[in-house]
Amino acid sequence: MTDAQSFYGRWARVYDWVANAPGVASWRDRTVDSLALAPGNTVVEMGCGTGANVPALRERVGPSGQVVGIDVTREMLDRARERPARSGGAVHYVQADAARPPIREADAVLATFVAGIFEDPAAAVDAWCDSVGPGGRVALLNFQRSPSALAAPLNLAFEGFVRLSAPGTRLSRRSHASAFERRVRAARERLTERTVARRYETMAGGFVGLLSGTVR
């Protein structure tokens, strides 16, 4: 957790720019739609970063709903709080470990690009499913290498991307990308075990995968 705080604290402004880069908004909208939010719902984003997803979440839950953003890094939350207020539900930012969230009885949980950084991603997914309980929706959005043969050159660059974007250097002494994908796979497998009415889709030529489901 200390590694993550230090890393993301240094790169908060750059992270904010990347999270709002052209094309990313379409991934965000599809991910938020997968939660099937309704007016009045409470939705929690685990590892909310600089709050790029918050406007779309607020729009879905409406004025009577709530959005809770959890992140371990104070600098990220400071950037999130600087975003101009927009119409929609109330927003609360909490500095906490997203793997052990202080949340109960939410209607939905969103986790974008964070499953691959946890030491025990399956346990984190368990905590998220427990936060919503039966009938709640959970969605995981993650980067991955593309299965397309045409993507081979970019897959080679994926290793460098993971090394630059992940805190610490302990993912693997060999391939950071392989270790990262093992963690993402563990998170997805646990979400598959815990949910029904699942949906999996890919974006960005297969480099982004979205898995969502309803907790049993």
Side-chain angles (χ1 to χ4, degrees):
M1 186 167 65
T2 301
D3 284 345
Q5 286 175 307
S6 176
F7 178 88
Y8 289 117
R10 291 194 305 270
W11 292 96
R13 291 186 181 275
V14 175
Y15 182 93
D16 192 42
W17 180 85
V18 172
N20 290 280
V24 177
S26 63
W27 309 348
R28 185 175 300 122
D29 286 338
R30 289 170 66 176
T31 302
V32 172
D33 286 343
S34 74
L35 293 173
L37 295 169
N41 280 171
T42 294
V43 56
V44 182
E45 182 172 10
M46 305 296 183
C48 66
T50 59
N53 294 316
V54 168
L57 294 170
R58 292 187 72 186
E59 180 182 347
R60 302 313 195 277
V61 301
S64 60
Q66 295 188 85
V67 178
V68 180
I70 293 179
D71 203 282
V72 73
T73 307
R74 178 180 56 78
E75 290 84 355
M76 289 286 188
L77 295 176
D78 288 344
R79 292 286 293 176
R81 294 186 179 102
E82 291 174 0
R83 290 185 178 278
R86 299 181 183 179
S87 61
V91 179
H92 309 280
Y93 290 111
V94 180
Q95 185 175 4
D97 183 358
R100 294 183 289 274
I103 297 292
R104 294 292 181 272
E105 300 182 0
D107 297 293
V109 160
L110 171 63
T112 61
F113 309 125
V114 296
I117 71 172
F118 294 121
E119 290 292 334
D120 190 345
V125 171
D126 276 333
W128 302 341
C129 290
D130 292 342
S131 295
V132 299
R137 293 284 294 177
V138 178
L140 309 179
L141 183 71
N142 293 283
F143 288 117
Q144 61 196 19
R145 282 178 284 198
S146 173
S148 171
L150 297 176
L154 290 176
N155 280 335
L156 292 175
F158 188 76
E159 173 71 30
F161 169 77
V162 172
R163 286 178 181 269
L164 288 173
S165 62
T169 58
R170 295 195 297 267
L171 283 177
S172 171
R173 291 187 177 181
R174 296 180 179 177
S175 171
H176 282 221
S178 295
F180 175 86
E181 287 184 319
R182 283 196 297 272
R183 293 183 177 187
V184 170
R185 184 165 57 250
R188 289 174 175 168
E189 289 174 351
R190 183 55 54 88
L191 187 61
T192 298
E193 294 170 359
R194 294 289 305 266
T195 60
V196 296
R198 288 179 300 277
R199 181 179 179 182
Y200 178 73
E201 55 185 307
T202 61
M203 294 167 267
F207 283 99
V208 177
L210 168 62
L211 177 65
S212 59
T214 300
V215 176
R216 297 178 183 275

